Every structure is written in C-alpha cells, then in structure tokens.
Amino acid sequence: MTARRWFVLVGAVAGLIAMVAWIGEIDLGIDNSLSAPPGSQPLPSDQSSGNQP
C-alpha cells in the first residue's frame, strides 16, 4: 500500500472512532438529563400543605 492509502485508512478509522465517541457522549448526556434524582421534584401544592379532603 502506498503512503496515501495508509493516510486515508488512518483518517477513516479515526473519523469512525470520533463519531462513535460523539454519539456515545450524546447518549449519556440524554440519559443523565432524563433521570432526575428521586427527591428533586417538588410536591404539588395541595399535597405539600398536608390538608387533604
């Protein structure tokens, strides 16, 4: 193989690795934003006062 083909091969492999890493990072970011800690959501106003009918 010539040096030009090696350069293209290395560039293609590096590009694929970068795309997979980018998609994985986006997936983890979405996962973290969708799963909130259990106690972080405020209660509705009728339940927080303790007065229920």
Side-chain angles (χ1 to χ4, degrees):
M1 287 174 96
T2 63
R4 184 178 293 174
R5 288 188 180 176
W6 279 110
F7 181 72
V8 172
L9 179 65
V10 169
V13 170
L16 288 173
I17 291 171
M19 285 192 299
V20 168
W22 180 54
I23 291 170
E25 187 263 334
I26 289 173
D27 185 42
L28 287 176
I30 290 173
D31 231 10
N32 289 341
S33 68
L34 292 179
S35 59
S40 67
Q41 296 179 346
L43 294 173
S45 60
D46 60 343
Q47 292 180 355
S48 61
S49 63
N51 299 334
Q52 293 192 7

